[in-house]
Each structure stands twice: as structure tokens, then as C-alpha cells.
């Protein structure tokens, strides 16, 4: 099917905006982008075309959220409800989250620990068209040491020693993992650990990274303290999640080695979310108390030139502070990055990290037609993404609000 989006401005992280633009889509990919009159003539000459008047909207690539959990279960009553779901209920719960995520304008996600390998079933269902949802790139279960961060849940796998961690990596790849997630320090949600608690020895970290890289998979690590992050970066770590306690020296080394950061700023400034889920006081105090140091750490990474990528940690679709968690996190980033770099952090940057830049991340010929639209200009104000009213993934419209 030929489709033509008109009466719009195309904005992405690659070039200057294309005003009064036309976007010609054939099947699931973009055929041409340019001045509307020129593109419309080409599309109509090729045969029947479905024309969509975008009513002056700003069209951008779909957002990419690099830290998602569709089966998240934090301590507290809300998390216990998810923990108690049987396998069939869990699959339906996660499928509903995927649908809601796509409706928010998030067309690509990186799942970094899901329960019981249900993420692989969901990924298959989305690819087959049985379930609406974003493109999923998933780590399966995160690897932890015995008793390590997140060990209480079915979304982790306990390992010990280099041999154990090599087995852990291979087991997730066998199940279908696109990347590997490893917990190398304590975190906010562990009652009997500190954020700065080291949880892997150097030979264990090396085993994870070496094995994953040998199989062509990148490794991302849940990590808080600078010393632990520094050791992993020297071993070839590809990405850091959170990075609560960086130093300028470690941030500089991350930049030099090409280690990206998904700061998940939301997790230390989301009391409303914690209250909604009944998260206990000890975790709320730890989380919110870590906020000032967390933002300092993020600024150090920014100053050092570390690649910053969007990731919410909260379920990407969750209604939070007047918008969804993905957009709220993007606004947090934009406070320091500015709207232009925030657009990169939420679109092209994640796609580059995932190795998908031939197919996604920009609005240009040859790419998949994963595009969203809103009324305000995101290059002026990132809060424009609060107004997403049109979502297309692979040429299929999943949301089109009536005006």
C-alpha cells in the first residue's frame, strides 16, 4: 500500500526540519521525504495512494526507550500483585503494557530484565502481528550473583564465578537474548544491600563481557558506584544503567571507551509513582535520598561527552506527572541536554547503540515507517511529546486521534 503524509514538518536528529513536507510510504518503509508537491507527484504517479492530512503536525521518528520492564514488580503491594500473576495472566499483563507503550509513541524498546522469559513470547507475538506493541530488543533475565540485586524475582538468574556467569550469558542467548544485562552493584530496590555494594568480582565481570561479545551481544550493567563502573568499563562494558555515583574521572573514561549511559533520572524523583504502588518507606528514602548525587553524576557524564540515552525504568506507558513515564524522563534529560540533544537521546542515539541505524532512528528513505506526530515543535520544547496524537509503526497506524 502507498501512503502519503502531508501538511507537516519533518523533524529528526539528522538534519534541519523539512517544512511543508511530504512523506511517501510504500508498505512498511519510507520511500521519499521532501517538499510536499514534489513527493505527492511521485507517490500519485506510482499508483493509488492513501493520503493523510497531518494538519500542520510535527513528524518525528518514534521514541526508543532503552530501559523498560513490562513485568516490573517493586517491593510493595503493587509489585506483589504482579509477582502473584500466573504465567498466562503475566503474558496478558505484559501484552497490555506493550500496547499502551506503542500508543505513547514509543516504537522501540530495550527490555532489561523480564520475568520467566515471557518477553520472548511477547516479542514473537508482536512480530507476528498478534499483539500490538513496539519493536522489542530484550535481555531475557538479568544475571546476578547469589543473593544479588533483584535475585528475589523471576526476571533474574543467579550465577557465581566465571564459569557460572559464562553459563548465564549463554543461557540467555540460547533463549533468544539480543543483549545481556548484568547487576554489578547493589541498588535502590534491595533492602539488604547498599547502592554502592559491589556484587561481582573482576573475573566474573570479565566472563560476562567476554562471552557476550564473542556471541555478538552487547552488555549493559545495572551499576551505581564509580569504582565498580570503572572496572567494568576497562573490561569493555557497553552501557551503564543508572550510574548513581560517577566521578569526573570515570565519566571521562566512559566517554573515551564509548560506554553509553542510560541515567533513568526518574527513579530518584518519583514519589508519586512509589506511593501509587505502596512502595515501603525504606526504599522511598533510599531512592529519593539518592536524587541529588544522581543528578550530579549525570551532569559529570554530560560534561565528559558520554553518550546519553533515554530510559525510564518505570513502565514506559505509566501515567506520571501529567504525561507518560517515557516523555517525563525525556523532559528530565532535556533540562540539561536541551531539546535538540534530547531528541537524539530519545531516537537516533538508542537506535545507533542497538545497531539498527540502517532501518530506524530517522525519517528518511529506506527506513521503516516508524513515525509519530504532535502539534508542537519538539526542537523548541521537549514537552511537545506530551501531545503525541499519531503513531505509525512499520507503515501501520496504531493511533490517530480525531481532531
Amino acid at each position: 500500500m502507498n501512503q502519503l503524509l502531508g501538511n507537516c514538518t519533518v523533524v529528526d536528529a539528522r538534519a534541519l526540519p523539512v517544512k511543508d513536507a511530504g512523506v511517501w510510504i510504500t508498505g512498511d518503509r519510507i520511500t521519499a521525504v521532501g517538499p510536499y508537491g514534489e513527493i505527492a507527484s511521485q507517490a500519485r504517479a506510482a499508483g493509488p495512494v492513501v493520503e493523510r492530512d497531518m494538519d500542520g503536525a510535527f513528524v518525528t521518528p518514534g521514541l526508543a526507550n532503552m530501559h523498560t520492564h513490562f513485568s516490573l514488580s517493586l517491593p510493595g503491594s503493587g509489585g506483589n500483585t504482579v509477582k502473584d500473576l500466573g504465567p498466562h495472566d503475566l503474558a496478558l499483563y505484559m501484552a497490555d503494557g506493550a500496547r499502551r507503550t506503542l500508543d505513547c509513541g514509543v516504537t522501540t524498546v530495550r527490555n532489561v530484565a523480564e520475568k520467566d522469559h515471557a518477553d520472548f513470547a511477547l516479542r514473537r507475538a508482536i512480530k507476528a502481528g498478534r499483539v500490538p506493541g513496539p519493536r522489542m530488543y530484550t535481555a531475557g533475565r538479568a544475571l546476578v550473583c547469589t543473593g544479588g540485586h533483584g535475585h528475589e524475582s523471576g526476571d533474574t538468574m543467579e550465577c557465581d564465578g566465571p564459569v557460572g556467569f559464562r553459563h548465564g550469558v549463554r543461557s540467555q542467548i540460547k533463549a533468544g537474548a539480543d543483549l545481556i544485562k548484568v547487576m554489578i552493584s547493589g541498588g535502590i530496590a534491595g533492602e539488604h544491600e547498599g547502592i554502592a555494594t559491589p556484587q561481582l568480582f573482576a573475573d566474573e565481570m570479565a566472563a560476562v563481557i567476554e562471552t557476550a561479545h564473542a556471541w555478538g551481544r552487547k552488555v549493559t550493567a545495572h551499576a551505581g558506584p564509580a569504582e565498580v563502573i570503572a572496572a567494568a568499563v576497562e573490561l569493555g562494558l557497553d552501557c551503564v544503567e543508572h550510574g548513581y555515583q560517577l566521578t569526573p574521572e570515570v565519566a571521562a573514561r566512559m566517554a573515551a571507551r564509548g560506554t553509553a549511559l542510560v541515567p533513568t533520572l526518574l527513579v530518584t524523583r518519583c514519589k508519586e509513582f512509589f506511593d501509587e504502588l505502596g512502595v515501603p518507606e525504606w526504599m522511598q528514602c533510599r531512592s529519593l535520598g539518592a536524587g541529588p548525587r544522581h543528578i550530579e553524576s549525570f551532569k559529570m557524564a554530560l560534561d565528559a561527552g558520554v553518550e546519553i540515552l533515554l530510559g525510564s525504568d518505570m513502565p514506559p506507558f505509566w501515567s506520571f506527572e501529567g504525561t507518560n513515564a517515557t516523555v517525563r524522563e525525556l523532559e528530565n534529560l532535556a533540562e540539561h541536554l536541551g531539546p535538540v540533544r534530547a531528541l537524539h537521546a530519545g531516537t537516533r542515539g538508542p537506535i545507533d547503540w542497538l545497531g539498527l541505524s540502517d532501518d530506524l532512528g530517522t525519517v528518511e528513505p529506506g527506513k521503516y515507517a516508524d513515525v509519530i506526530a504532535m502539534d508542537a515543535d519538539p526542537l523548541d520544547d521537549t514537552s511537545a511529546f506530551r501531545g503525541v496524537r499519531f503513531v505509525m509503526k512499520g507503515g501501520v497506524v496504531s493511533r490517530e486521534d480525531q481532531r
Side-chain angles (χ1 to χ4, degrees):
M1 180 177 70
N2 283 328
Q3 299 182 74
L4 177 65
L5 309 184
N7 189 14
C8 61
T9 299
V10 173
V11 176
D12 65 24
R14 173 179 54 96
L16 294 174
V18 180
K19 299 180 179 180
D20 191 20
V23 182
W24 176 18
I25 298 157
T26 305
D28 59 0
R29 291 187 183 260
I30 298 168
T31 302
V33 180
Y36 176 76
E38 174 186 329
I39 300 302
S41 295
Q42 295 174 14
R44 292 166 185 158
V49 59
V50 176
E51 301 192 28
R52 299 181 185 277
D53 184 341
M54 301 304 290
D55 197 18
F58 290 83
V59 173
T60 77
L63 293 172
N65 191 319
M66 292 286 276
H67 192 123
T68 64
H69 303 282
F70 288 144
S71 57
L72 180 69
S73 55
L74 295 175
S77 56
N80 290 338
T81 298
V82 177
K83 284 182 182 178
D84 292 341
L85 293 174
H88 309 303
D89 293 321
L90 179 66
L92 292 171
Y93 175 83
M94 292 174 65
D96 179 63
R99 175 190 59 80
R100 295 167 68 183
T101 296
L102 183 60
D103 280 349
C104 291
V106 179
T107 55
T108 302
V109 296
R110 191 186 67 166
N111 300 72
V112 285
E114 301 291 1
K115 289 180 172 50
D116 305 328
H117 284 171
D119 44 330
F120 299 122
L122 178 58
R123 185 181 64 186
R124 289 192 295 270
I126 292 172
K127 284 185 176 180
R130 295 190 297 269
V131 173
R135 302 179 192 276
M136 282 179 57
Y137 298 88
T138 186
R141 290 173 171 165
L143 306 183
V144 303
C145 67
T146 295
H149 183 71
H151 73 277
E152 309 93 340
S153 177
D155 59 9
T156 58
M157 176 180 179
E158 289 181 304
C159 310
D160 287 298
V163 173
F165 275 97
R166 288 188 191 280
H167 170 70
V169 170
R170 291 173 181 141
S171 70
Q172 299 315 298
I173 294 172
K174 177 182 177 181
D178 302 295
L179 65 141
I180 297 298
K181 166 81 174 293
V182 62
M183 311 293 205
I184 63 175
S185 79
I188 283 170
E191 185 173 8
H192 303 296
E193 64 189 33
I195 290 175
T197 304
Q199 295 195 348
L200 266 71
F201 291 106
D203 58 352
E204 293 172 320
M205 287 192 287
V208 171
I209 294 168
E210 181 183 19
T211 307
H213 286 178
W215 284 77
R217 301 319 195 265
K218 289 185 174 180
V219 180
T220 193
H222 162 100
E227 297 80 5
V228 171
I229 293 170
V233 168
E234 292 306 312
L235 291 168
L237 182 67
D238 300 291
C239 188
V240 170
E241 310 297 309
H242 315 304
Y244 300 117
Q245 299 171 351
L246 292 176
T247 63
E249 294 76 18
V250 173
R253 194 61 183 149
M254 287 175 63
R257 294 294 296 264
T259 308
L261 173 66
V262 181
T264 66
L265 298 177
L266 277 178
V267 301
T268 55
R269 45 189 44 77
C270 60
K271 180 169 175 52
E272 173 189 308
F273 175 65
F274 287 156
D275 287 344
E276 184 177 352
L277 294 184
V279 169
E281 185 67 17
W282 66 261
M283 180 175 165
Q284 293 211 29
C285 289
R286 180 181 294 176
S287 170
L288 303 177
R293 181 67 177 89
H294 190 188
I295 201 71
E296 287 178 10
S297 181
F298 168 62
K299 289 178 179 178
M300 291 172 189
L302 185 59
D303 291 343
V306 173
E307 178 79 349
I308 305 296
L309 307 175
L310 168 66
S312 62
D313 203 352
M314 287 170 54
F317 57 82
W318 204 272
S319 179
F320 182 68
E321 294 186 351
T323 185
N324 58 73
T326 301
V327 172
R328 190 68 192 94
E329 176 66 7
L330 194 59
E331 291 174 331
N332 282 334
L333 297 181
E335 288 181 20
H336 306 278
L337 296 174
V340 176
R341 292 182 67 186
L343 178 62
H344 175 88
T347 56
R348 191 175 185 181
I351 295 302
D352 287 347
W353 192 94
L354 289 167
L356 305 171
S357 56
D358 287 344
D359 293 315
L360 297 166
T362 56
V363 183
E364 61 179 318
K367 301 293 182 75
Y368 283 118
D370 287 16
V371 297
I372 62 178
M374 63 217 75
D375 289 322
D377 186 350
L379 296 182
D380 288 338
D381 187 345
T382 299
S383 293
F385 285 101
R386 289 180 175 237
V388 169
R389 58 175 173 84
F390 176 90
V391 179
M392 172 184 280
K393 178 191 150 202
V396 177
V397 177
S398 62
R399 176 180 175 185
E400 189 171 18
D401 297 356
Q402 299 300 312
R403 295 176 60 75

